[in-house]
Amino acid sequence: MVGGFEVGAVPFNPDGWGPPESAAAGTTAGALPLNVPFAPFSRSEKLGRIADWTRSLNNPSKSHKQSDSIFDFSADDSFGPLDEDSSFRLVDSKPAPRPKFGPKWRFNQHHRSQLPQRRDEEVEAKKREAEKERARRDRLYNLNRPGANAPRREAAAFKSSVDIQPEWNMLDQIPFSTFSKLSFAVPEPEDLLLCGALEYYDRTYDRVTPKNERRLERFKNRNFFKVTTTDDPVIRRLANEDKATVFATDAILSALMCAPRSVYSWDIVIQRVGNKLFFDKRDGSQLDLLSVHETSQEPLPEAKDDINSAYSLSVEAAYVNQNFSQQVLIRDGNKVTFDEPNPFANEGEEVASVAYRYRRWKLDDDMHLIARCEVQSVNEINKQRSFLTLNALNEFDSKYSGVDWRQKLETQRGAVLATELKNNANKLAKWTAQALLASADYMKLGFVSRVHPRDHFNHVILAVQQYKPRDFASQINLNTANMWGIVKSIVDLCMKLNEGKYVLVKDPSKPQVRIYEVPADAFENDYVEEPLPEDEQAQPPADDADAGEISVAAKDVEDKEIDAQV
């Protein structure tokens, strides 16, 4: 260093910190060093820096202020605020004004660079909303499902329609993916026999709307027959006459034809007798009931005693469908009769309006199929007679479907039908297939709803819609060639089996069917599954208890009847 550094006289203060009072009083302002600030402090206060030697003061182009001194520590927080007003900030809680006509970036041509950023933000926001919606759906789906973490309804733990016994031998399993590639064209069928009697359709029901709804009546005295193939006396007679090699009913064929759309488990009994093949259903089979919300993504309650469980709704839908098919008729005694009376009714017994058409299709040069098909009514306009099938869709709770029929049927009937096609795709496809098999001229679809969502005994008819089966089949993407391709492939597969009894079961959790070889006495009187306890069965009110039972016996044909009573 060029010059020395003189510390100067430092007075000693024996009484405390800082200069002594005598020295401070005797020292004049002129004797103090220039530009050296002094801040009073006590022992309890924190000491800050007294000089900042890191400041750069060598730039001659910048004008230096007095506060740029290395000894300036006025901004040091350790000495506390020098001025209370300097630390005060006025906070404005009023929200920023929003533009009146949307975001400015849409109209501002000078800020085009902001567009990609804004677009990315919108995409991210949509992704977040989609994630929230997906999480909400998953939460609703898994509600009331203990331990169900699967995102798809197909993976839910549904119960098999028949108990698979350990002595059964599985022969083959066919995934539904192979059914979609099948195609087979059949010529027009021929009618072999018509049985039963039909009542005329009441066209006043075509004008029913939610504002002038009709109460659904109960028909306690009319009997409905759900007779399987081998118990049909007409089919037995035709089989003895060697009229065909394959025999079935329209309900069984429609279940096969629409198998890829099914979710719930079902089963069909197959009997190979000589060179003939019989497709049967078990007594009390699921084919006698109607599924509800089978293809919906919203889960139904698991408990059987719940009125909205899958089993309770299927029983309710069967009753509603039967009662609807009889209420929309003109019940004045005027009937259209055919070659033979109802083959399942006793003399003097009141039966439902139904006609059985025994029809034959040619599957091959040496293979024909005979099926019993049903139509429920007849309509005559300008002396032209047309056959009708009558079916009813039932609404049980709009919270499950998301569409309130009473509000949407008049103005948005297409939206209601689209929702039903999504939630009940298999049921509607089977109805359409049955109408095509019977060559019905029209399908009548009724929209029936509960009087109250918690009352599953009383219903009202809100509307009736008419469709042509072929047009409706194309509307729901039901391919006739594919339907017959599925039947032909299963028939060919079963024809290669040995004589015996087999059962075709839809897997309850996978989209596939399995073929089992079962004992010859399977599903006989001593092999039938035990019925549900009475407390688990869906029972009607006490005054109508006799009307809420489906009586199905296995001894003879006359006992195989279902009372259409709720």
Side-chain angles (χ1 to χ4, degrees):
M1 296 180 67
V2 178
F5 181 77
E6 296 181 359
V7 178
V10 178
F12 176 72
N13 187 2
D15 298 325
W17 293 85
E21 294 182 2
S22 59
T27 306
T28 61
L32 291 173
L34 295 176
N35 299 327
V36 177
F38 172 75
F41 58 92
S42 64
R43 291 184 180 184
S44 62
E45 291 179 347
K46 180 183 177 182
L47 290 176
R49 67 177 183 269
I50 61 173
D52 187 3
W53 302 97
T54 62
R55 292 189 181 183
S56 177
L57 303 176
N58 299 327
N59 192 354
S61 62
K62 276 183 89 173
S63 58
H64 300 288
K65 298 184 290 185
Q66 185 179 0
S67 61
D68 291 335
S69 170
I70 58 176
F71 295 100
D72 176 52
F73 48 87
S74 59
D76 195 343
D77 296 337
S78 61
F79 294 102
L82 300 178
D83 188 4
E84 292 184 359
D85 293 337
S86 63
S87 63
F88 181 78
R89 295 290 183 271
L90 181 63
V91 179
D92 187 8
S93 61
K94 185 168 62 176
R98 299 180 61 183
K100 292 183 178 180
F101 302 99
K104 291 183 178 180
W105 63 267
R106 293 183 181 176
F107 305 100
N108 193 345
Q109 302 296 329
H110 302 289
H111 295 83
R112 291 178 181 262
S113 60
Q114 295 181 2
L115 288 176
Q117 181 181 2
R118 181 60 182 263
R119 192 180 301 115
D120 293 343
E121 292 176 357
E122 288 185 348
V123 170
E124 291 297 328
K126 288 181 180 179
K127 286 183 179 179
R128 288 193 296 270
E129 290 297 327
E131 288 294 333
K132 290 180 181 178
E133 181 66 19
R134 191 177 298 111
R136 186 189 70 84
R137 287 199 304 266
D138 292 343
R139 189 168 58 252
L140 289 175
Y141 174 74
N142 292 322
L143 194 63
N144 298 328
R145 286 185 180 274
N149 297 321
R152 292 189 58 202
R153 172 118 188 239
E154 186 71 25
F158 294 122
K159 184 182 178 182
S160 177
S161 61
V162 61
D163 291 334
I164 308 299
Q165 302 299 323
E167 64 269 16
W168 292 5
N169 180 25
M170 189 182 74
L171 301 179
D172 197 1
Q173 58 182 12
I174 310 170
F176 285 165
S177 57
T178 60
F179 286 163
S180 60
K181 306 171 186 177
L182 301 175
S183 180
F184 182 74
V186 294
E188 287 295 320
E190 57 174 325
D191 283 329
L192 300 180
L193 189 65
L194 272 79
C195 304
L198 292 177
E199 292 178 322
Y200 287 94
Y201 175 74
D202 189 355
R203 284 182 285 175
T204 59
Y205 281 89
D206 291 336
R207 298 188 291 271
V208 173
T209 62
K211 292 183 179 178
N212 62 340
E213 58 190 26
R214 298 278 191 96
R215 191 68 174 250
L216 185 67
E217 301 175 12
R218 302 176 184 176
F219 295 86
K220 303 179 182 179
N221 300 323
R222 292 199 171 193
N223 295 323
F224 295 81
F225 303 96
K226 303 292 184 183
V227 182
T228 187
T229 308
T230 52
D231 290 337
D232 189 332
V234 177
I235 288 184
R236 286 184 176 182
R237 188 176 70 204
L238 295 174
N240 291 332
E241 297 173 359
D242 288 332
K243 294 291 186 180
T245 53
V246 184
F247 299 88
T249 65
D250 57 349
I252 295 173
L253 286 181
S254 64
L256 291 175
M257 292 175 168
C258 306
R261 301 179 185 232
S262 62
V263 175
Y264 296 156
S265 178
W266 48 266
D267 59 275
I268 295 174
V269 180
I270 304 170
Q271 297 190 58
R272 177 78 192 276
V273 182
N275 66 334
K276 293 182 175 58
L277 201 63
F278 295 90
F279 289 91
D280 278 311
K281 64 177 181 62
R282 294 181 300 106
D283 295 330
S285 169
Q286 289 290 334
L287 300 180
D288 291 335
L289 304 177
L290 298 176
S291 63
V292 179
H293 265 230
E294 180 177 1
T295 55
S296 171
Q297 296 300 320
E298 294 293 333
L300 296 174
E302 293 287 344
K304 274 197 171 183
D305 55 352
D306 194 304
I307 63 172
N308 291 335
S309 67
Y311 175 77
S312 300
L313 288 175
S314 62
V315 175
E316 178 185 353
Y319 294 146
V320 168
N321 195 70
Q322 291 177 351
N323 291 330
F324 171 81
S325 66
Q326 302 306 301
Q327 181 170 344
V328 296
L329 305 176
I330 302 176
R331 300 181 297 276
D332 57 357
N334 187 15
K335 296 183 179 181
V336 178
T337 58
F338 298 100
D339 305 336
E340 296 183 9
N342 193 313
F344 316 120
N346 296 325
E347 187 176 353
E349 185 179 12
E350 184 178 0
V351 297
S353 170
V354 63
Y356 300 106
R357 304 183 72 173
Y358 292 88
R359 320 191 78 195
R360 180 168 62 182
W361 286 266
K362 183 179 180 181
L363 299 181
D364 205 343
D365 292 336
D366 55 351
M367 186 186 301
H368 291 77
L369 181 146
I370 289 180
R372 185 189 72 226
C373 307
E374 297 182 13
V375 290
Q376 285 80 32
S377 181
V378 64
N379 200 4
E380 189 169 340
I381 302 176
N382 297 330
K383 296 184 179 180
Q384 290 186 354
R385 185 176 295 174
S386 56
F387 292 118
L388 310 176
T389 60
L390 306 175
N391 300 104
L393 295 165
N394 61 308
E395 179 192 38
F396 57 98
D397 195 340
S398 59
K399 294 180 180 178
Y400 286 89
S401 63
V403 177
D404 190 348
W405 286 9
R406 287 174 171 81
Q407 297 179 0
K408 301 292 185 181
L409 268 177
E410 276 194 290
T411 58
Q412 297 178 340
R413 187 168 296 187
V416 175
L417 183 62
T419 305
E420 288 302 305
L421 288 173
K422 181 185 70 172
N423 296 334
N424 298 289
N426 187 36
K427 179 169 66 175
L428 284 166
K430 289 199 293 186
W431 286 346
T432 309
Q434 292 175 18
L436 290 172
L437 290 172
S439 292
D441 298 288
Y442 296 101
M443 298 170 54
K444 292 285 186 179
L445 283 183
F447 296 87
V448 181
S449 178
R450 292 177 180 174
V451 174
H452 187 271
R454 301 304 301 174
D455 182 8
H456 63 295
F457 298 114
N458 300 298
H459 302 80
V460 290
I461 302 174
L462 301 179
V464 178
Q465 188 74 18
Q466 176 176 285
Y467 300 95
K468 290 184 177 181
R470 291 195 178 277
D471 296 342
F472 192 72
S474 61
Q475 183 177 346
I476 66 175
N477 197 22
L478 188 65
N479 189 351
T480 308
N482 178 249
M483 295 191 313
W484 281 108
I486 296 173
V487 173
K488 182 67 165 58
S489 65
I490 294 179
V491 168
D492 291 341
L493 179 63
C494 295
M495 278 298 185
K496 298 176 183 178
L497 302 175
N498 298 325
E499 287 193 39
K501 182 178 287 189
Y502 306 88
V503 61
L504 183 73
V505 183
K506 157 70 172 66
D507 191 287
S509 59
K510 297 179 181 179
Q512 64 183 13
V513 291
R514 293 192 175 103
I515 297 180
Y516 293 91
E517 183 180 7
V518 298
D521 60 346
F523 315 117
E524 298 297 335
N525 294 346
D526 56 347
Y527 200 87
V528 176
E529 293 178 305
E530 294 183 1
L532 290 172
E534 291 186 0
D535 55 349
E536 294 187 11
Q537 295 180 1
Q539 296 290 346
D543 56 344
D544 296 318
D546 60 322
E549 300 176 356
I550 297 181
S551 60
V552 182
K555 293 184 179 179
D556 51 32
V557 174
E558 288 77 7
D559 293 333
K560 291 176 179 276
E561 54 191 33
I562 298 176
D563 296 332
Q565 304 144 1
V566 180

